[in-house]
Amino acid sequence: MQRIERLRDKANSLPTSPGVYIMKNSLGEVIYVGKSAKLKNRVTQYFQNSEKNLKTARMVASVEDFDCYVCDNEMEALSLENTLIKQYNPKYNIRLKDAKSYPYIKITDELYPRLVMTRKRDADKGKYFGPYSGTSTVYAVIGSLQKALQLPNCKRKFPEQIGKERPCLYYQIKQCCGVCTGRVGPEEYADKIHTAAEILRGNTASEKRRLTEQMYALAEQERYEAAAVCRDTIAALDRLSQKQSVVGAPDDDYDVFGVYDDGVLSALSVFFVRSGVCTDKQDYLFDKENITDT
């Protein structure tokens, strides 16, 4: 009972913010990774005296401690959860054990490619990105890219249905480039898809540099409307990258140290960032009676 009370007290101290939690057993092994829009509410549920299904009950019985990563928003938590599950392959994340069921993002091979969710990697010319931890992650990423790059999310077939119907509401509110109007050619659309692919590969910074160079070149040619499209895309990428503050540049490797001292207890936390992703954390607690000046 003391173990459960200790874990419940720790969970009650968590913020009601989005984040990712990592459950560990007595050996320090990661046995479950989860995410929540409200960390405190979700994690405390595990240690309440309420009924649980068999899998959850077994997992909770094995938990000796847990760590949490606070995120700025749910999108960031989705991305970090996906990364940590791939890294640790936890015992109780059962739905991810079968690699064949992993969802992917596919860029279809057609004149006007689409971003779609799929669970199968066919031997076709489509481009596949993933696997991801779940379909909610995939749809969140696709939705963010569609909004940022003004990619269509309707079910119209292009180029067959170009000019056949009036543009939808998304075009009117400038969340779609309007392929259906006939004003967006395959070359301009292909540039948007290229940007989406680079973001999915983690190359946001290099893509911004390419778009910036292209914007200036178009401006020198007095193609101001095309330059404005590049400008708006760069601004959208800035907004998109702000949602992913847990993830840094893809070539970043560094450690982050955090120190706390209240006069009675001192703590040191080390965050390990590898390939731009916060992959692990270690905490060290020091009692003042056991600290000597050096």
Side-chain angles (χ1 to χ4, degrees), residues 79-233:
S79 177
L80 182 58
E81 180 204 32
N82 179 54
T83 299
L84 294 176
I85 289 176
K86 290 179 185 176
Q87 177 184 350
Y88 292 115
N89 192 27
K91 176 181 179 180
Y92 288 99
N93 288 97
I94 297 175
R95 65 188 178 90
L96 301 175
K97 293 297 183 181
D98 183 4
K100 294 181 181 178
S101 67
Y102 282 9
Y104 292 82
I105 293 176
K106 176 183 179 180
I107 297 180
T108 60
D109 178 37
E110 50 191 325
L111 187 61
Y112 290 90
R114 297 293 192 113
L115 276 64
V116 298
M117 190 282 291
T118 181
R119 291 185 181 275
K120 293 174 24 178
R121 296 196 61 164
D122 297 321
D124 56 14
K125 294 182 180 180
K127 297 177 181 178
Y128 293 84
F129 302 87
Y132 292 86
S133 63
T135 56
S136 59
T137 304
V138 169
Y139 286 123
V141 172
I142 290 176
S144 295
L145 289 173
Q146 287 174 333
K147 185 175 181 180
L149 303 176
Q150 296 186 326
L151 297 172
N153 63 2
C154 62
K155 295 182 179 180
R156 297 180 185 181
K157 301 292 184 181
F158 304 124
E160 294 86 349
Q161 291 183 264
I162 290 179
K164 297 293 181 63
E165 299 180 43
R166 294 178 60 183
C168 67
L169 177 63
Y170 289 102
Y171 174 73
Q172 303 295 338
I173 62 177
K174 297 184 179 181
Q175 288 191 11
C176 177
C177 61
V179 176
C180 59
T181 65
R183 299 173 184 172
V184 180
E187 183 177 343
E188 180 181 341
Y189 189 84
D191 198 54
K192 291 179 176 292
I193 293 296
H194 173 82
T195 299
E198 288 302 297
I199 293 172
L200 290 170
R201 293 189 182 101
N203 298 332
T204 305
S206 61
E207 186 60 18
K208 283 177 60 179
R209 288 193 295 270
R210 185 188 73 84
L211 287 167
T212 301
E213 293 173 0
Q214 183 177 338
M215 177 181 68
Y216 286 127
L218 290 168
E220 288 182 1
Q221 299 169 19
E222 298 185 356
R223 297 172 59 188
Y224 299 118
E225 289 188 7
V229 171
C230 292
R231 178 204 61 201
D232 294 343
T233 303

Side-chain angles (χ1 to χ4, degrees), residues 2 40 55 60 68 75-76 108 129 151 154 194 196 204 212-213 240 274 279 293:
Q2 291 181 350
K40 179 180 178 179
K55 179 180 82 79
V60 173
C68 289
M75 180 67 179
E76 184 180 301
T108 60
F129 302 87
L151 297 172
C154 62
H194 173 82
T204 305
T212 301
E213 293 173 0
L240 193 63
R274 299 294 180 266
T279 60
D293 295 331

